[in-house]
Amino acid sequence: MAFDVALDGVLMLSDHSTIDDAVAQARRYEDCGFARVSMGEVTGWNVVPVLTAIARETEDIGISNDVFAPPARSPAMLAQTALTLHEASDGRYRLGLGPSSPALVERWHSGEFDPALRRTRETIDVVRAVYEGGKVEYHGEVFDMGGMSYDRQVPDDPPAIDLATLGPTAVEMTGRFADGWVPQLFTADGLRDRLGDLERGAEMGDRAVDDVRVAPIVRTFAHEDGDHARSMARQMVAFLIGAYGPFYGNSVADQGYPDAVEEIRAAWEEKDTAAMAAALPDEALEAFAAAGTPEEVREHYREIAAVEGVDAVRCGFVAGMSQDDKEGTMAALSEL
């Protein structure tokens, strides 16, 4: 099975004690031939300075964020940020947006989560209005603004907009309005099903679905001791399902694992991480993560890459991996 799509990398910023360390990891991705590097923003660093540092200290690798939550920044500020990072990276930046989660929006940013999808849609509208230059006038259900304009020249090729979405309606919206889709915790069959929603959305927007860059994140750990890699990945996947808001768990349940999701969530209520990991079936771990020997990991990547419509596979490391583990995993993927 061939691997003929791009290979992206994810920075786990919680693994890095300094911004210089994060930049060094981005350089390793570039040296290994990865097409893009991205990172999340939750309650740690503001990632804009980190992205800027990476842009200034690399030459060719694309940079992205996975993702900004619109309640954390106004749509106009998101547009300003995107255009500034476009300038800093010589056009290598893609803006990542997503509805986020109730916990992050309400308990960290002190906002209201709903209407999450409408807010995301209107954020895209406003960012694109800024991209068009001139005076911005926008009167939506969530945002009502006008009378001011971006006071710098807008480039002819402003940053693409990627969305991190999961459910059918959200992915349909992605196909209709965004330039890229960054899903996570999907099996190969789950991706195929959801790509139908992406295609339907593109048709509704009179767009070509081939123009939407699809880059699923796959939690990855390649190690000669495959059982060790699977054990660590099991903890990570179970934590994502149980602790990262309702949407990952709902998506995994819809892909055929409702009983496991229910058990993992019950264990999370007790903060019993060992029980969470134990509740994840071997079959689910194999389907949702690339963990095992180097060849087993490469085979998983080939399976995801073979899904029609996938343009890149995004390597997300597993919590607790050492730097040697990461470099070994990157070396294994470089043989694809």
Side-chain angles (χ1 to χ4, degrees), residues 285-304:
L285 176 63
E286 183 178 344
F288 289 109
T293 65
E295 184 50 39
E296 287 171 334
V297 166
R298 286 190 290 266
E299 184 58 29
H300 186 101
Y301 268 60
R302 294 185 192 108
E303 182 182 8
I304 297 298

Side-chain angles (χ1 to χ4, degrees), residues 20-322:
D20 285 345
D21 287 344
V23 171
Q25 180 60 37
R27 285 190 187 130
R28 293 185 191 100
Y29 276 131
E30 185 171 57
D31 290 344
C32 285
F34 283 63
R36 306 196 66 79
V37 60
S38 65
M39 66 206 67
E41 181 183 72
V42 188
T43 60
W45 280 329
N46 175 344
V47 301
V48 176
V50 185
L51 289 163
T52 303
I54 291 171
R56 306 301 283 180
E57 298 295 330
T58 57
E59 296 181 2
D60 301 313
I61 195 167
I63 62 171
S64 308
N65 63 289
D66 303 320
V67 292
F68 291 137
R73 294 175 174 85
S74 74
M77 178 54 69
L78 286 166
Q80 290 175 256
T81 299
L83 290 168
T84 304
L85 286 169
H86 179 279
E87 173 72 19
S89 65
D90 294 325
R92 291 180 282 142
Y93 175 67
R94 295 177 72 98
L95 171 64
L97 301 174
S100 190
S101 70
L104 185 63
V105 171
E106 295 168 3
R107 293 162 54 191
W108 185 249
H109 295 300
S110 189
E112 294 184 3
F113 181 71
D114 288 323
L117 292 187
R118 183 67 199 181
R119 182 187 296 109
T120 303
R121 153 73 193 278
E122 291 192 11
T123 296
I124 295 172
D125 288 344
V126 173
V127 170
R128 290 236 163 91
V130 175
Y131 283 179
E132 291 172 4
K135 188 176 292 186
V136 175
E137 293 285 344
Y138 189 83
H139 307 288
E141 296 176 20
V142 179
F143 300 111
D144 189 359
M145 53 188 288
M148 299 188 74
S149 58
Y150 184 64
D151 72 355
R152 298 186 65 86
Q153 183 174 353
V154 178
D156 293 333
D157 58 341
I161 301 173
D162 297 335
L163 289 188
T165 50
L166 296 172
T169 301
V171 174
E172 181 183 278
M173 179 185 72
T174 303
R176 188 175 180 185
F177 298 108
D179 304 303
W181 180 40
V182 186
Q184 183 170 204
L185 283 187
F186 276 94
T187 67
D189 287 340
L191 271 176
R192 290 186 182 94
D193 290 343
R194 197 58 77 238
L195 280 162
D197 301 313
L198 191 78
E199 183 172 3
R200 183 172 61 255
E203 290 173 353
M204 292 171 63
D206 196 24
R207 310 169 69 222
V209 72
D210 289 346
D211 293 335
V212 181
R213 188 180 193 264
V214 176
I217 297 173
V218 177
R219 293 295 164 179
T220 307
F221 187 3
H223 197 280
E224 293 301 331
D225 184 346
D227 289 338
H228 170 64
R230 282 185 284 272
S231 176
M232 292 186 64
R234 184 185 300 277
Q235 297 175 55
M236 179 80 179
V237 172
F239 189 79
L240 289 172
I241 292 171
Y244 265 51
F247 303 114
Y248 284 137
N250 292 348
S251 177
V252 169
D254 289 344
Q255 291 176 76
Y257 299 94
D259 294 341
V261 170
E262 183 178 359
E263 190 174 347
I264 289 168
R265 284 173 167 168
W268 174 243
E269 288 294 322
E270 303 298 324
K271 301 300 185 285
D272 189 341
T273 55
M276 290 171 69
L280 185 70
D282 291 344
E283 175 191 352
L285 176 63
E286 183 178 344
F288 289 109
T293 65
E295 184 50 39
E296 287 171 334
V297 166
R298 286 190 290 266
E299 184 58 29
H300 186 101
Y301 268 60
R302 294 185 192 108
E303 182 182 8
I304 297 298
V307 175
E308 185 175 358
V310 168
D311 299 292
V313 182
R314 196 163 287 193
C315 168
F317 292 130
V318 169
M321 291 172 64
S322 68

